[in-house]
Amino acid sequence: MTINRKETHGRINRDKPIKFSFDGKIYSAFDGDSLASALLANGIHLVARSFKYHRPRGFLSAGSEEPNALVTFDRGQGRVTSNVRATTLEIFDGLVAYSQNNWPSLKFDIGAINDFFYMLFPAGFYNKTFMWPKSFWDKVYEPAIRKMAGLGPAPIDEDADKYASLYSHCETLIVGSGPAGIAAALSACEKPGRVILIDEQNEFGGSLLSTPNLTINAIPAWQWLKNSLAILKGRQNVTLLARTTVIGYYHDNFLGAVERITDHEKDINQNKARECLHRIRAGEVILATGAIERPLVFPNNDRPGVMLASAARSYLNRYGVVVGEKIALFTCHDSGYEVIFDLADAGISIACIMDVRDQVSDNIIAATKTRGLEIRTSTIVTNTSGKFRISSLHASRINDEKITSTEEIICDCLLMCGGWTPSVHLFSHSKGSLKWQENLGAYIPDTPNENTISIGACNGTFGLTDIMTEADSGQSKYTVDDMDFGSGIIAATFPTKSDPAKIKAFVDYQNDVTEKDINLAVREGLKSIEHVKRYTTTGMATDQGKTSNLNALQITAHAVAKPVQQVGLTTFRPPFTPTTFGALLGGKDGDTFHVTRKTPIDGWADDNGAIFEPVALWRRARYFPREGEDMLAAVNRECRATRESLGIFDASTLGKIEVVGPDAAEFMNRMYTNPWMMLKSGSCRYGLMLGEDGYIMDDGVIGRMAEDRFHVTTTTGGAPRVFRMMEDYRQTEWPELDVWLTSTTEQWAVIALNGPNARKLLEPFVEGIDLNPESFPHMAVREGRICGVETRLFRVSFSGELGFEINVPAHYGRALWEVLFKAGQQYDITPYGTETMHVLRAEKGFIIVGQDTDGTVSPMDAGMSWAIGKKKKDFVGKRSLNRSDIVAKGRKQLVGLLTDDPNIVLEEGAQIVADPNQPIPMDMIGHVTSSYWSATLNRSIALAMIKDGRALTDSDIYIPMADQTHKVRVSTPIFYDPMGERLNVL
Amino acid sequence: MLLIRCPYCQEERPEIEFSYAGEAHIARPLNPDDLSDESWAEYLFIRSNRRGLHYERWLHAHGCAQFFNALRDTVSDKFETTYKIGEARPQVKK
């Protein structure tokens, strides 16, 4: 195995040799290597297969812009990450990684047959080819395409890592720690404000890490960097975050940054978060994010060994790795020469230097001659050869856009320098506008939308002298020994002698988009870059076109014969690089994914085998199964026990609002449909609340505790919106009303006792309230004490049985429950959950807002005209009750349903038709809203909303289901005890 | 995430403390029964949906729980100003 290292070069730690595994084979490397540099050191250029054509691919870059070298990084079960860029993956002893998108192996990949059938895969091919037959899409085309095309496999195990998140605040945030970022940090740290300096790499320094030969203030670059970092580390007001990617730049200088904490560590530490999402609010943001070199677009420019010139420089100077033994350069920009000079000075053989331009500056010619090299001007690469790595290229001389001669040149590496693209991603996220810079052939920041400045290469400022001056607010305290950055031309399209239909000159490496695809898209009428992007998928891969966008734009502009500025620019969107879901969740997974509200009695239910269900953010006991019972059996038993003797139910989740003040009754009168002014203290009333549109919004029993005080209950899920709506009217429409509102949902625990023995159980524990039915009738409320604790005792019933709702301060809830449960044993007291509550109320035809109503149901539709205060001048929603469409015929009305076969329990949501024999699509006249087995009635019951349903009472309608059509009789929605006599049990 | 100044708390607080509450300066008619269906529908449903500076309501839900008004640019999302309920709408700077 060749080890392609230069002992004289690199900042890797040669005292720390390490072993790692790639595709099951063990290799050697050094601490400080990236996976890419380590593989290149071992002579490995072939690392991936391309997305669509399965072409062999190597490393294009040495940074986060890498489109090709995606690998799967395996740290054990639950710790497998696919599509990791090998160029940014820090290596450690024992690292395991695999190549992707190949079968059976990287060198022999069956899918590479796609490369020979390329004519089948033009731009828009998915849209065009797989249109017919429609049914084939799910079963045939999509699975096949998914298997063939694609990236690494999605992880199958649950993520075993922990994640964290932090809010941070600073006066100055600097993104990027190249020379510009470091100089800016040195200035900023002199001021009193907090400074955060962030860099995505494991080391600070950016481009300086690859340019050790420069000097700043006569100090070699790496020494200057070390000195500067020592100063910054010594400052109390400076926070340095390495291995941290700013993924998005949002409003008011709010930025998201993901810090990778453990992926580079040899051992897994369960107590450490793998990644941390920093949410940073900054006073000022200094963007020093640098620039990305552009590839050149020529036939077979994707062979392993063809890479960006800047990458070769990084591999040599930073990692001490030589990327080839005979290296060629193809450039249109002066900056390519800096790289070739570094390589030549390191003693590496240069195969040839090809420059698109017909003239190169005298300085460069002289510097080239000094090194015994020559420049082929007006020369382009027209082809490359080599199976798994470039072995030769065709250098063609051009004259007036025509090829005049071609020569084959042997090489094992070809460097491309197509100029530089400023990294304006974050500036664009923040909605800053961009302007076209003709000499760079790129967009640079124009007008910022936030308090931000861009400095250095991301601002289109190149050359270390200019960068340092800009970073230092023009103070020029730095003297720099630097080769002039020079200039270049835009060279996006080149002449060719080959059949254009057979050429594959790649623009977007990751999505396998070629120049030909873009030209085809334009020929097919797509003129805007946004359309070209979506049709060809250029720039839509996980690298978001970091290396390809400008080339795609130039080629499109060329094809439509318009200036680039008129073709448009695609939008930059967060995240800057792919981000784990774990980081975004920041530890809020599993039980903490969202809040679970629990009542004070929840623990008892848990201890007693309750099955829970989520209701809004609450978890509520749904039923309490005994040994061997399923839900139906448990609910049947709970229902019977409640109707026959006594049931106990935790109603603590009911929303509760205390409405207090001299104008409390007037306020209630305006908020609810019912009349409240004449309701006596100590009485309750069912309250119906509408939206201003006249539709039912919420309901609940409301007790008048005193002239100026109401105890309002709401539905469990509706409490926050009811409270908000009440506050809205109180604050903004009726500020003259002297009333105030307090949410008391969590202050009261509520125990509902229902059944003929409810009073008997309660009586011995209550002080100060006469439970005698004459003095405490149905729909009354009293204050007193129970077991010595203050209580608001309601005599109400949502079951149709004699019922009480006992409100006690929340922390007494469970103790009282346990007292009642123990004493209730003499009545076979039975705890029941929400399912039994639903059945009992449905037997009585009581609606549940949100189940039997859906936001388009008026009180008249629900058969609740009785709840409307007819004499009231106004209340929320009243005017809408006269709207023409609300009083129109043909509205759906609430009815009961009894199936012809009493054993059939209908499906909730099932559609209803009048005539089951009509042709499909049938005319649907309504739907089932609630449906249960009623143990009490020994048959099924259902509620439904049906067009003009009340007029259909006692007639038959039909419910067609997949297996059979059910015949159903329309009935009153009250199935049980229509006269309400059971409330009066003594 | 926006920073929003609550005119009651007199502090700039992060957007997550607030919730949006629709267009501002749409008063509920004093006598809804006197309104035609069309005028009532206008009050109920029709909003200006402005591109640019927009008078709108916000609720400092996880703060002082007060509704307040704001003038915000719907294109840039930038708040021009915020002000208390009942105060006159500020003039739009040209």
Side-chain angles (χ1 to χ4, degrees):
Chain A
M1 182 61 62
T2 355
I3 299 298
N4 304 292
R5 294 276 188 189
K6 268 281 166 217
E7 291 302 319
T8 47
H9 286 68
R11 30 195 302 128
I12 45 172
N13 185 357
R14 288 186 166 84
D15 298 332
K16 251 182 106 179
I18 54 176
K19 301 269 184 214
F20 70 100
S21 146
F22 182 69
D23 275 348
K25 211 170 156 189
I26 308 295
Y27 299 95
S28 300
F30 293 108
D31 184 48
D33 265 321
S34 69
L35 178 61
S37 70
L39 287 168
L40 286 167
N42 285 278
I44 312 279
H45 277 258
L46 171 68
V47 283
R49 287 281 177 165
S50 74
F51 183 73
K52 198 158 79 177
Y53 301 120
H54 289 248
R55 285 167 67 100
R57 289 284 168 83
F59 305 99
L60 184 75
S61 73
S64 65
E65 70 270 34
E66 177 63 33
N68 284 337
L70 304 184
V71 299
T72 295
F73 174 38
D74 184 351
R75 305 203 73 191
Q77 192 173 18
R79 294 190 169 86
V80 178
T81 313
S82 51
N83 310 325
V84 175
R85 286 142 300 166
T87 49
T88 62
L89 185 56
E90 266 180 81
I91 208 159
F92 55 84
D93 195 35
L95 176 138
V96 177
Y98 311 108
S99 62
Q100 304 179 157
N101 198 31
N102 61 77
W103 185 85
S105 76
L106 192 54
K107 282 207 166 169
F108 183 75
D109 175 14
I110 296 277
I113 197 155
N114 285 2
D115 198 26
F116 298 98
F117 292 106
Y118 57 87
M119 64 289 279
L120 295 178
F121 301 94
F125 120 94
Y126 297 112
N127 319 41
K128 288 171 186 163
T129 313
F130 298 113
M131 287 294 286
W132 184 91
K134 207 176 165 188
S135 61
F136 267 41
W137 179 254
D138 297 355
K139 294 184 181 69
V140 182
Y141 298 141
E142 192 184 335
I145 292 169
R146 283 206 185 283
K147 205 170 164 206
M148 286 298 286
L151 302 161
I156 44 174
D157 297 311
E158 196 174 323
D159 193 337
D161 282 306
K162 293 189 176 73
Y163 298 83
S165 66
L166 275 177
Y167 281 91
S168 304
H169 303 267
C170 64
E171 276 63 42
T172 307
L173 171 66
I174 301 160
V175 187
S177 70
I182 296 281
L186 289 171
S187 293
C189 78
E190 299 293 339
K191 291 181 264 178
R194 293 159 295 180
V195 177
I196 299 178
L197 174 65
I198 292 186
D199 197 281
E200 65 175 344
Q201 301 204 58
N202 58 325
E203 280 194 276
F204 292 99
S207 63
L208 291 178
L209 299 172
S210 304
T211 54
N213 301 331
L214 302 178
T215 63
I216 299 168
N217 292 348
I219 305 168
W222 287 358
Q223 187 60 46
W224 181 83
L225 179 60
K226 199 173 168 186
N227 298 348
S228 303
L229 287 170
I231 294 170
L232 293 173
K233 277 177 192 149
R235 298 284 175 164
Q236 290 281 316
N237 61 335
V238 176
T239 304
L240 297 171
L241 288 174
R243 299 187 178 93
T244 305
T245 304
V246 175
I247 56 169
Y249 186 162
Y250 309 92
H251 283 303
D252 291 333
N253 274 354
F254 187 74
L255 296 92
V258 175
E259 181 183 7
R260 290 169 296 280
I261 300 167
T262 63
D263 267 4
H264 64 286
E265 292 179 353
K266 179 173 166 32
D267 298 314
I268 284 169
N269 181 345
Q270 274 293 355
N271 296 319
K272 258 186 172 176
R274 180 192 178 204
E275 294 177 346
C276 178
L277 175 64
H278 296 263
R279 295 179 171 89
I280 305 166
R281 183 79 71 177
E284 181 193 28
V285 174
I286 299 176
L287 296 172
T289 49
I292 294 170
E293 199 173 16
R294 281 202 291 272
L296 290 164
V297 181
F298 55 89
N300 297 317
N301 61 343
D302 66 325
R303 250 179 241 295
V306 181
M307 66 172 70
L308 295 171
S310 57
R313 194 185 208 190
S314 291
Y315 289 121
L316 175 68
N317 289 329
R318 185 170 174 190
Y319 301 105
V321 171
V322 180
V323 293
E325 286 167 14
K326 268 188 100 53
I327 298 178
L329 171 71
F330 179 22
T331 186
C332 65
H333 196 281
D334 292 348
S335 69
Y337 290 90
E338 296 183 29
V339 177
I340 248 4
F341 296 160
D342 273 6
L343 293 169
D345 294 347
I348 299 158
S349 164
I350 304 303
C352 74
I353 301 171
M354 295 157 286
D355 199 313
V356 183
R357 299 170 291 182
D358 53 10
Q359 280 195 327
V360 181
S361 76
D362 293 343
N363 288 346
I364 288 179
I365 293 171
T368 313
K369 275 198 175 141
T370 310
R371 291 169 172 92
L373 302 171
E374 66 170 308
I375 304 168
R376 296 165 187 245
T377 50
S378 299
T379 303
I380 61 172
V381 178
T382 47
N383 204 357
T384 67
S385 307
K387 193 171 182 197
F388 295 130
R389 180 167 173 185
I390 187 170
S391 57
S392 71
L393 60 83
H394 285 178
S396 299
R397 268 196 74 84
I398 47 171
N399 185 12
D400 195 19
E401 295 284 298
K402 292 213 167 54
I403 294 169
T404 54
S405 65
T406 297
E407 183 188 344
E408 181 164 16
I409 292 170
I410 304 298
C411 66
D412 62 358
C413 182
L414 169 58
L415 307 183
M416 303 178 280
C417 177
W420 293 81
T421 307
S423 289
V424 295
H425 306 72
L426 294 177
F427 182 80
S428 290
H429 292 177
S430 76
K431 304 281 195 287
S433 65
L434 301 174
K435 64 182 173 200
W436 179 251
Q437 188 79 2
E438 188 63 41
N439 65 326
L440 290 174
Y443 283 96
I444 61 168
D446 189 8
T447 311
N449 187 44
E450 299 286 350
N451 186 15
T452 183
I453 56 166
S454 295
I455 57 171
C458 72
N459 193 37
T461 306
F462 290 91
L464 195 53
T465 312
D466 293 345
I467 288 171
M468 300 297 276
T469 306
E470 185 172 74
D472 200 32
S473 317
Q475 289 182 45
S476 306
K477 74 174 172 219
Y478 296 103
T479 54
V480 176
D481 164 29
D482 180 22
M483 183 176 146
D484 184 17
F485 175 69
S487 61
I489 60 160
I490 309 307
T493 57
F494 299 116
T496 175
K497 274 188 163 171
S498 311
D499 176 359
K502 290 186 177 162
I503 287 174
K504 279 206 277 283
F506 287 89
V507 179
D508 181 327
Y509 289 83
Q510 198 169 108
N511 264 355
D512 266 354
V513 180
T514 63
E515 182 181 8
K516 180 184 62 183
D517 292 328
I518 293 174
N519 287 325
L520 176 69
V522 170
R523 277 206 309 280
E524 295 191 355
L526 306 155
K527 311 285 184 203
S528 151
I529 191 66
E530 293 283 2
H531 293 154
V532 170
K533 169 182 168 179
R534 281 155 185 81
Y535 196 59
T536 62
T537 73
T538 188
M540 290 174 72
T542 68
D543 65 342
Q544 292 191 63
K546 287 187 178 63
T547 54
S548 64
N549 281 342
L550 260 292
N551 280 336
L553 197 57
Q554 299 274 11
I555 292 166
T556 306
H558 188 260
V560 299
K562 276 186 182 170
V564 169
Q565 307 95 289
Q566 289 181 26
V567 179
L569 179 66
T570 54
T571 311
F572 295 94
R573 292 192 181 86
F576 176 71
T577 49
T579 304
T580 63
F581 284 108
L584 298 177
L585 281 170
K588 291 200 182 69
D589 59 349
D591 290 343
T592 54
F593 181 63
H594 64 58
V595 175
T596 301
R597 300 176 78 183
K598 295 177 181 175
T599 76
I601 298 159
D602 177 273
W604 188 92
D606 209 8
D607 294 345
N608 286 273
I611 304 295
F612 292 94
E613 69 167 340
V615 181
L617 287 176
W618 294 95
R619 73 164 198 176
R620 301 192 71 180
R622 191 173 186 193
Y623 57 101
F624 292 83
R626 288 184 183 164
E627 188 78 34
E629 280 184 339
D630 60 6
M631 184 170 91
L632 182 63
V635 169
N636 287 346
R637 173 179 51 74
E638 292 170 12
C639 285
R640 276 194 297 267
T642 305
R643 293 248 183 260
E644 287 163 15
S645 178
L646 183 57
I648 185 168
F649 175 69
D650 179 6
S652 304
T653 64
L654 279 181
K656 294 172 275 290
I657 301 166
E658 193 90 342
V659 178
V660 184
D663 294 322
E666 173 63 24
F667 180 76
M668 291 298 296
N669 220 38
R670 296 186 190 184
M671 290 307 305
Y672 283 83
T673 61
N674 323 65
W676 299 95
M677 304 303 282
M678 306 303 287
L679 184 71
K680 290 193 173 63
S681 296
S683 290
C684 302
R685 178 161 285 163
Y686 170 82
L688 188 62
M689 177 180 268
L690 308 182
E692 204 68 272
D693 55 8
Y695 295 131
I696 293 172
M697 187 176 135
D698 204 82
D699 68 350
V701 170
I702 293 157
R704 189 167 196 173
M705 309 311 298
E707 275 302 293
D708 62 349
R709 181 178 293 266
F710 289 82
H711 179 116
V712 174
T713 67
T714 74
T715 59
T716 292
R721 60 177 173 265
V722 169
F723 186 75
R724 176 183 162 137
M725 180 166 141
M726 284 186 171
E727 274 293 341
D728 192 347
Y729 280 92
R730 185 190 71 79
Q731 291 178 29
T732 71
E733 297 293 353
W734 309 318
E736 72 281 5
L737 292 185
D738 193 357
V739 60
W740 59 95
L741 315 171
T742 311
S743 166
T744 54
T745 302
E746 297 197 347
Q747 274 57 51
W748 297 106
V750 186
I751 298 169
L753 288 177
N754 281 275
N757 288 314
R759 187 186 289 112
K760 281 183 226 157
L761 171 65
L762 202 52
E763 214 145 25
F765 299 107
V766 175
E767 300 163 60
I769 305 172
D770 179 1
L771 295 190
N772 188 304
E774 282 81 55
S775 50
F776 191 29
H778 183 58
M779 295 302 269
V781 58
R782 300 285 182 267
E783 288 180 279
R785 302 188 91 76
I786 182 163
C787 298
V789 176
E790 62 165 307
T791 182
R792 286 182 180 176
L793 183 60
F794 287 74
R795 190 181 155 192
V796 292
S797 175
F798 197 42
S799 65
E801 301 300 325
L802 172 64
F804 297 91
E805 285 182 5
I806 311 154
N807 288 254
V808 289
H811 48 284
Y812 290 110
R814 180 164 179 176
L816 177 63
W817 176 283
E818 286 175 354
V819 167
L820 294 171
F821 187 72
K822 194 173 170 203
Q825 293 307 313
Q826 56 184 312
Y827 306 112
D828 287 330
I829 190 167
T830 299
Y832 66 90
T834 50
E835 195 64 25
T836 290
M837 179 266 280
H838 282 179
V839 177
L840 297 175
R841 66 89 201 178
E843 289 170 346
K844 288 292 295 173
F846 296 145
I847 62 162
I848 288 188
V849 173
Q851 176 167 345
D852 301 295
T853 71
D854 61 2
T856 64
V857 176
S858 75
M860 296 82 85
D861 298 339
M864 298 173 81
S865 303
W866 52 265
I868 297 169
K870 303 286 183 301
K871 291 179 194 154
K872 285 169 67 170
K873 187 170 163 288
D874 192 14
F875 55 81
V876 173
K878 178 170 186 287
R879 173 63 185 83
S880 288
L881 299 182
N882 300 321
R883 274 164 54 206
S884 56
D885 49 342
I886 283 203
V887 298
K889 279 203 181 320
R891 292 190 62 83
K892 288 183 180 176
Q893 296 172 334
L894 184 79
V895 295
L897 297 181
L898 292 169
T899 47
D900 203 35
D901 175 350
N903 292 312
I904 299 277
V905 179
L906 295 169
E907 270 186 43
E908 288 175 355
Q911 294 292 318
I912 298 166
V913 301
D915 170 13
N917 299 316
Q918 62 187 302
I920 293 171
M922 296 190 186
D923 185 15
M924 293 174 287
I925 60 171
H927 62 279
V928 177
T929 60
S930 294
S931 176
Y932 309 95
W933 176 259
S934 165
T936 309
L937 302 168
N938 196 32
R939 63 154 299 132
S940 70
I941 57 167
L943 298 173
M945 293 296 295
I946 300 182
K947 278 181 196 168
D948 291 323
R950 283 193 287 273
L952 294 174
T953 304
D954 294 331
S955 52
D956 290 334
I957 50 96
Y958 298 88
I959 299 181
M961 300 300 289
D963 50 347
Q964 67 176 113
T965 295
H966 304 300
K967 187 174 165 193
V968 176
R969 176 67 52 94
V970 179
S971 74
T972 153
I974 306 171
F975 302 98
Y976 182 68
D977 186 26
M979 305 308 286
E981 286 156 349
R982 298 193 57 84
L983 296 169
N984 304 323
V985 66
L986 290 174
Chain B
M1 184 166 54
L2 294 164
L3 284 174
I4 301 173
R5 185 173 184 81
C6 171
Y8 293 97
C9 299
Q10 292 288 318
E11 270 188 51
E12 274 201 332
R13 308 292 303 172
E15 187 185 336
I16 45 165
E17 291 186 9
F18 298 85
S19 76
Y20 184 67
E23 187 168 353
H25 301 294
I26 298 177
R28 187 175 189 271
L30 287 175
N31 298 300
D33 277 349
D34 298 346
L35 267 59
S36 66
D37 272 8
E38 287 69 28
S39 316
W40 181 247
E42 179 92 9
Y43 161 70
L44 273 187
F45 304 121
I46 306 304
R47 297 294 179 266
S48 63
N49 196 24
R50 204 174 298 284
R51 185 180 194 277
L53 288 170
H54 185 236
Y55 295 97
E56 60 192 25
R57 309 188 321 142
W58 285 78
L59 169 63
H60 195 182
H62 301 285
C64 64
Q66 297 282 310
F67 285 83
F68 62 89
N69 290 334
L71 181 60
R72 186 181 62 98
D73 191 318
T74 59
V75 177
S76 67
D77 279 344
K78 288 218 182 291
F79 280 81
E80 286 287 314
T81 185
T82 56
Y83 52 104
K84 294 176 180 176
I85 294 292
E87 290 179 358
R89 68 174 85 194
Q91 287 310 301
V92 174
K93 278 173 264 164
K94 293 285 180 212

